[in-house]
Amino acid sequence: MAETIKIAYLYEDLMNTYGDSGDVKIMRYLLNQRGYDVTVDNISLGREFNAMDYDFVFFGGGQDYEQTVVARDVPRLTATLHEYIEAGNPMLAICGGYQFLGTEYKMVDGTTIECTGLLPLHTVFRPEARMIGDTEYETQWGIVKAFENHSGCTYFDDKDKLKPLGKMVTGFGNNPEEGYEGMQYKQTFGSYSHGPILRNRNIAEAFADMIQQRHEQRVGAQAVVTAD
């Protein structure tokens, strides 16, 4: 019987702009090809959640209204996500999900959405800086090609702790000034890349490797507990 890899999709029913669910579908396919069964749980409003039960956490993008709805619910997930992220487990957050990893999102009307505060970054909506179009950037796994469409400009508040996912070749990325796309902290990644990003086989295989390693560690730890 094949082992089962567990994926948590945070707010799948609310945060799925530009087909971000394609990232999860691609990852399921790759892991199936490696011989694993895969389950995907929609962790939505009010659902109980222990991130440490999972091998991969995915957080997609959403429009401003959906983000205000999620903002009222997501604080209850902060403690378990903190444990998961600090343990070095794999997580991918796209667009709105990426913004939620930070401290706040300042909207065009001046309203501030309080985010999780899990990582030292913040986002400001700048209507004059609409960033839309094809993107290309260099990562540790090679070139990634995707699509961006956002007016949220993300800035790191601790550049020693956070590293960019990639350096822009074409497009804007995090903001119009700095020339970098996305974020990496341990094995947590944020990105403005739709398309979806994991259609790039190089980065998809890298995530599959991280998820497989996490699964082996989780199952091994459970086996030790059972033996005791």
Side-chain angles (χ1 to χ4, degrees):
M1 180 180 295
E3 294 183 16
T4 299
I5 283 178
K6 298 178 65 178
I7 295 176
Y9 190 152
L10 304 186
Y11 306 100
E12 178 181 6
D13 50 338
L14 295 168
M15 304 288 281
N16 181 27
T17 304
Y18 305 120
D20 288 336
S21 61
D23 286 314
V24 174
K25 292 174 182 176
I26 290 168
M27 193 49 53
R28 183 201 293 268
Y29 172 80
L30 288 180
L31 293 168
N32 286 160
Q33 291 298 106
R34 295 186 180 199
Y36 292 96
D37 289 334
V38 178
T39 63
V40 179
D41 290 339
N42 174 23
I43 309 302
S44 195
L45 304 177
R47 176 165 177 173
E48 292 186 7
F49 175 56
N50 179 359
M52 299 303 287
D53 290 338
Y54 291 87
D55 303 308
F56 180 48
V57 175
F58 180 80
F59 201 169
Q63 302 298 322
D64 284 358
Y65 173 74
E66 284 76 14
Q67 287 189 239
T68 61
V69 174
V70 170
R72 293 193 290 270
D73 187 75
V74 74
R76 67 186 180 84
L77 308 184
T78 301
T80 188
L81 286 173
H82 175 77
E83 180 183 12
Y84 181 89
I85 289 169
E86 292 299 326
N89 298 316
M91 179 174 182
L92 175 60
I94 303 295
C95 201
Y98 173 23
Q99 295 165 356
F100 265 117
L101 294 180
T103 56
E104 63 182 22
Y105 173 44
K106 294 183 179 179
M107 299 173 67
V108 66
D109 63 358
T111 303
T112 297
I113 296 178
E114 298 297 329
C115 299
T116 63
L118 288 164
L119 295 174
L121 60 91
H122 70 278
T123 302
V124 179
F125 187 99
R126 290 170 50 188
E128 84 285 359
R130 191 71 185 175
M131 292 162 280
I132 182 170
D134 294 332
T135 60
E136 183 175 333
Y137 50 95
E138 181 69 40
T139 74
Q140 60 185 299
W141 303 293
I143 288 288
V144 170
K145 296 182 179 182
F147 173 81
E148 64 182 345
N149 185 4
H150 59 106
S151 291
C153 297
T154 294
Y155 301 91
F156 296 170
D157 299 314
D158 186 342
K159 294 183 179 180
D160 292 326
K161 182 172 183 176
L162 305 182
K163 304 300 179 186
L165 171 59
K167 182 176 177 59
M168 299 307 301
V169 176
T170 302
F172 299 97
N174 288 332
N175 58 66
E177 298 86 19
E178 296 176 323
Y180 293 102
E181 157 59 21
M183 174 280 306
Q184 177 179 359
Y185 172 69
K186 296 188 178 184
Q187 290 198 128
T188 292
F189 299 83
S191 177
Y192 278 107
S193 296
H194 301 286
I197 186 175
L198 295 185
R199 69 185 175 88
N200 293 271
R201 188 68 181 246
N202 51 345
I203 195 170
E205 292 286 1
F207 269 92
D209 289 342
M210 286 184 269
I211 295 167
Q212 185 173 345
Q213 181 182 41
R214 158 62 181 165
H215 173 74
E216 291 170 355
Q217 292 171 345
R218 180 177 65 83
V219 171
Q222 289 178 341
V224 170
V225 171
T226 300
D228 291 344

